């Protein structure tokens, strides 16, 4: 009864505006989330005059999304300054072409200046995305309750909150909005055969590609549209194939430019994979990641709350996929079939990186509409089957309740996650110019990468080499011996999280292997654990250790000087 009334209330003319407003209100805590992660480094890259040594000459506007290049000298410089970990695979690459997103960030820092205004800027893009999603649903479904319920599921989805609240992640929102408009105008073109609709679709595809790589999802989405949405009783398969020629040529031209200009991502560790350059590895990892990604979309609570359940997520994902395919046979609904295929295929491009909910925004567009279609069928068309209606209540209200409760929390989460790392960065002395380099113990790999960015944002101090040796602190045996520092931990000095940046099966650590760090210092591996993780490291430097700063985290999480005894 309640869901039936909800469906009827969603027919109100102002329902889209009301739902969109709810979605934005739930995300308002993001206005107070401040900077997080890459946001600090963006600020430093734009304003710090001393960062020229890490800039490149690629086609991006300001290198905001240039993380790791094939230039080993630049990679070594990043290691020396502690911007990337010392054990990183130097063949790892992460260089992204997102000029339109860069323009919005330059606008942030030069015009808006205040973090809360930058978050408001991101909320405006999310509002545009909600409008695009509404137009898409209204275009593809004639059932207004389905359109509105789908919009409600999407607008309040808790997995979107962190993406919206992280300023540096705005590219995902922008790219998603543009490719939704691209799909809408592609549909208009197929219905009207008017050239200006096709040109607008191509324009939005291009804008999406210039915003973020997530826009590549438009390729499998248009394929799904041609195969599963178009009425092949009236349209020939050849005609459907021809309609994909122009988008395919645009995507091919963009890929050729993207690769020849040196953009792309790859690693032997699997964190980033090049689907074109590493096809066999990509297929292998796709089989592993795809079911987990499908399952993550239907969980009301994001998967990062359940670490260590990777196998369960994969098995649940296969069960979910089988259930969805069975639903296609039962529903016999063209829109459902299109949404199912578009959802699964749109995940393929984004699974070249570790499965994360923040990369599933495009896939979520089809998940929400598919879920609304199923619930409408269960509640309205099968109203006398009490068991199915009970399932609909559980799915519908469970999902919405979790979203309403969790979205404001996740919208503020960047602030909560950022505070410990920011606290540690600012606990170091403001002036570190007396040290040739600074070495720390007890900082996480991600917090360590933003140390200089945080310090520049708050103190405008020049970049200083701040190298984190290990995330451990109290568990490490420390010994100073003449001009050497020795670290030892029986459990190993690197964690599972640390090893995202190095595939130890393909590039294992070795005894006596050394790594250059901090401009004139060398780390050497003296012992390994049974799992071949460094358990004893020796740091030696060209200068006496008195020229270097050594700090370790205490029980309150702040850095204190490491006593040399």
């Amino acid at each position: 009864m309640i869901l039936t009334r909800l469906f009827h209330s969603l027919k109100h003319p102002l329902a889209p505006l009301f739902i969109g407003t709810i979605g934005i209100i739930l995300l308002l805590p993001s206005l107070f989330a401040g900077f997080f992660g890459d946001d600090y480094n963006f600020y430093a890259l734009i304003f710090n005059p001393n960062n020229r040594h890490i800039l490149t000459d690629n086609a991006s506007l300001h290198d905001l999304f240039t993380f790791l290049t094939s230039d080993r000298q630049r990679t070594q410089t990043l290691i020396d300054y502690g911007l990337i970990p010392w054990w990183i695979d130097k063949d790892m690459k992460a260089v992204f072409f997102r000029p339109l997103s860069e323009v919005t960030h330059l606008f942030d820092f030069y015009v808006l200046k205040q973090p809360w205004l930058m978050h408001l800027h991101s909320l405006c893009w999310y509002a545009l995305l909600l409008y695009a999603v509404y137009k898409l649903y209204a275009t593809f479904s004639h059932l207004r309750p389905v359109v509105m319920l789908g919009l409600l599921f999407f607008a309040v989805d808790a997995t979107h909150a962190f993406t919206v609240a992280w300023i540096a992640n705005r590219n995902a929102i922008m790219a998603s909005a543009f490719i939704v408009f691209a799909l809408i105008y592609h549909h208009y073109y197929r219905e009207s055969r008017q050239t200006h609709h096709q040109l607008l679709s191509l324009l939005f595809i291009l804008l999406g590609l210039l915003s973020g790589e997530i826009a590549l999802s438009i390729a499998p989405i248009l394929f799904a549209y041609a195969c599963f949405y178009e009425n092949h009783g009236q349209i020939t398969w050849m005609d459907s194939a021809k309609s994909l020629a122009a988008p395919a040529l645009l995507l091919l031209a963009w890929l050729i430019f993207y690769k020849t200009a040196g953009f792309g991502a790859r690693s032997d560790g699997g964190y980033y994979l090049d689907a074109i350059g590493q096809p066999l590895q990509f297929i292998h990892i796709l089989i592993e990641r795809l079911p987990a990604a499908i399952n993550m979309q239907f969980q009301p609570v994001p998967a990062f709350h359940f670490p260590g359940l990777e196998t369960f997520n994969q098995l649940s994902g296969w069960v979910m996929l089988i259930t969805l395919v069975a639903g296609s046979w039962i529903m016999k609904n063209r829109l459902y079939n299109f949404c199912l295929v578009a959802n699964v295929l749109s995940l393929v491009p984004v699974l070249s990186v570790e499965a994360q909910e923040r990369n599933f925004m495009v896939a979520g567009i089809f998940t929400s509409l598919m879920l609304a279609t199923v619930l409408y069928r269960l509640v309205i068309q099968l109203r006398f089957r009490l068991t199915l209606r009970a399932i609909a209540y559980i799915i519908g209200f469970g999902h919405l309740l979790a979203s309403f409760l969790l979205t404001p929390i996740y919208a503020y989460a960047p602030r909560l996650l950022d505070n410990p790392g920011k606290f540690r960065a600012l606990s170091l002395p403001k002036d570190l110019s007396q040290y040739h380099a600074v070495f720390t113990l007890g900082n996480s790999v991600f917090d360590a990468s933003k140390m200089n960015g945080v310090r520049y944002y708050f103190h405008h101090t020049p970049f200083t080499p701040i190298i984190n040796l290990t995330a451990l602190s109290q568990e490490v045996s420390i010994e100073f011996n003449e001009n050497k520092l020795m670290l030892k931990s029986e459990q190993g000095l690197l964690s599972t999280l640390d090893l995202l940046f190095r595939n130890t099966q393909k590039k294992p650590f070795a005894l006596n292997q050394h790594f250059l760090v901090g401009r004139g210092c060398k780390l050497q591996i003296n012992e390994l654990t049974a799992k071949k993780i460094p358990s004893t490291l020796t740091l030696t430097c060209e200068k006496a250790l008195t020229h270097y700063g050594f700090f370790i985290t205490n029980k309150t999480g702040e850095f204190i000087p490491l006593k040399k005894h």
Side-chain angles (χ1 to χ4, degrees), residues 145-428:
V146 171
V147 172
M148 294 297 100
L149 186 60
L151 180 61
L152 179 61
F153 279 131
F154 184 83
V156 303
D157 193 332
T159 62
H160 300 167
F162 198 90
T163 305
V164 177
W166 188 357
I167 296 170
N169 238 187
R170 185 185 300 145
N171 63 88
I173 309 171
M174 295 172 62
S176 299
F178 286 133
I179 67 170
V180 171
F181 281 120
L183 177 57
I184 292 171
Y185 280 100
H186 180 78
H187 175 74
Y188 288 166
Y189 165 65
R190 297 299 293 154
E191 293 287 315
S192 68
R193 304 304 173 102
Q194 295 184 16
T195 305
H196 74 279
H197 284 150
Q198 184 182 35
L199 292 176
L200 283 171
S201 177
L202 295 174
L203 174 62
F204 281 119
I205 291 175
L206 180 60
L207 291 174
L209 293 172
L210 295 176
S211 300
E213 288 74 11
I214 195 174
L216 286 171
S217 296
I218 191 63
I221 290 170
L222 292 181
F223 173 80
Y225 177 91
C227 293
F228 294 92
Y229 191 80
E230 288 198 306
N231 186 348
H232 290 289
Q234 301 176 1
I235 301 173
T236 65
W237 285 97
M238 181 59 69
D239 187 36
S240 294
K242 288 180 179 178
S243 71
L244 301 179
L249 287 174
L250 175 60
L251 289 166
L252 179 62
W254 181 85
L255 279 172
I256 292 172
F257 161 77
Y258 193 81
K259 290 297 182 182
T260 55
F263 295 100
R266 66 176 291 147
S267 72
D268 287 328
Y271 186 79
Y272 288 115
L273 278 176
D274 183 353
I276 297 175
Q278 300 170 286
L280 295 180
Q281 279 185 270
F282 178 69
I283 292 172
H284 173 77
I285 208 74
L286 182 64
I287 295 172
E288 177 184 314
R289 291 174 178 172
L290 184 60
I294 292 171
N295 186 56
M296 288 160 71
Q297 292 181 78
F298 289 92
Q299 290 180 164
V301 180
F304 60 76
H305 284 292
F306 308 102
L309 296 180
E310 291 81 6
T311 302
F312 172 78
N313 274 330
Q314 288 183 1
L315 292 175
S316 299
W318 285 117
V319 172
M320 180 63 69
L321 182 58
I322 293 170
T323 302
L324 293 173
V325 172
S328 174
W329 179 76
I330 296 171
M331 296 275 292
K332 294 181 174 57
N333 182 291
R334 183 174 59 148
L335 179 59
Y336 177 92
N337 293 342
F338 164 62
C339 287
L340 173 58
V341 177
N343 171 270
V344 174
L345 294 184
S346 66
L347 289 170
V348 173
V350 299
L351 289 179
S352 59
V353 68
E354 286 282 345
Q356 300 170 359
E357 279 102 338
R358 62 189 178 91
N359 292 327
F360 301 159
M361 191 166 279
V362 173
I365 294 168
F366 302 100
T367 304
S368 298
L369 185 55
M370 188 164 44
L371 191 57
T373 303
V374 171
L375 290 180
Y376 182 81
R377 175 77 179 271
L378 292 176
V379 173
I380 302 300
Q381 298 179 343
L382 300 174
R383 63 176 62 196
F384 298 110
R385 302 189 182 183
L386 296 180
T387 303
L388 294 177
R389 286 171 63 83
I391 293 173
Y393 276 97
I394 294 170
I395 295 174
F397 280 110
H399 201 89
L400 290 175
L401 179 61
S403 294
F404 275 97
L405 292 175
L406 294 175
T407 296
I409 297 173
Y410 295 145
Y412 190 70
R415 166 76 73 178
L416 302 176
L417 294 174
D418 178 66
N419 280 339
K422 180 173 65 178
F423 174 70
R424 279 192 293 273
L426 298 179
S427 68
L428 288 172

Side-chain angles (χ1 to χ4, degrees), residues 5 7 43 48 74 79 135 203 211 238 248 435 463 470 520:
R5 290 179 179 177
F7 275 119
Y43 180 88
N48 187 355
R74 179 180 181 275
I79 292 173
K135 293 291 292 183
L203 174 62
S211 300
M238 181 59 69
Y435 301 117
F463 272 29
T470 175

Side-chain angles (χ1 to χ4, degrees), residues 27-38:
L27 290 168
L28 287 180
S30 68
L31 295 177
F32 311 101
F35 282 176
F36 176 75
D38 293 333

Side-chain angles (χ1 to χ4, degrees), residues 37 40-41 81-83 420-428 432 438 440 443-444 446-457 461 463-464 466-468 559:
Y40 292 108
N41 291 338
Y81 278 87
L83 298 174
K422 180 173 65 178
F423 174 70
R424 279 192 293 273
L426 298 179
S427 68
L428 288 172
L432 294 174
V438 172
T440 62
N443 210 6
S444 75
F446 291 110
D447 285 339
S449 69
K450 70 180 184 183
M451 289 282 285
N452 268 300
V454 171
R455 289 172 55 77
Y456 184 78
Y457 178 73
T461 53
F463 272 29
T464 303
I466 305 176
I467 301 93
N468 192 59
F559 281 121

Side-chain angles (χ1 to χ4, degrees), residues 84-135:
I84 56 177
W86 56 263
W87 62 87
I88 196 169
D89 175 6
K90 289 188 178 181
D91 292 323
M92 192 172 181
K93 180 180 178 182
V95 189
F96 305 112
F97 184 62
R98 302 167 181 173
L100 202 55
S101 295
E102 285 191 292
V103 168
T104 71
H105 292 303
L106 292 173
F107 177 76
D108 283 343
F109 290 110
Y110 281 112
V111 179
L112 300 181
K113 299 182 179 179
Q114 298 299 318
W116 74 270
L117 288 174
M118 301 179 196
H119 285 292
L120 183 62
H121 184 184
S122 293
L123 283 175
C124 290
W125 281 103
Y126 189 66
L128 177 65
L129 174 60
L130 292 181
Y131 172 74
V133 169
Y134 164 65
K135 293 291 292 183

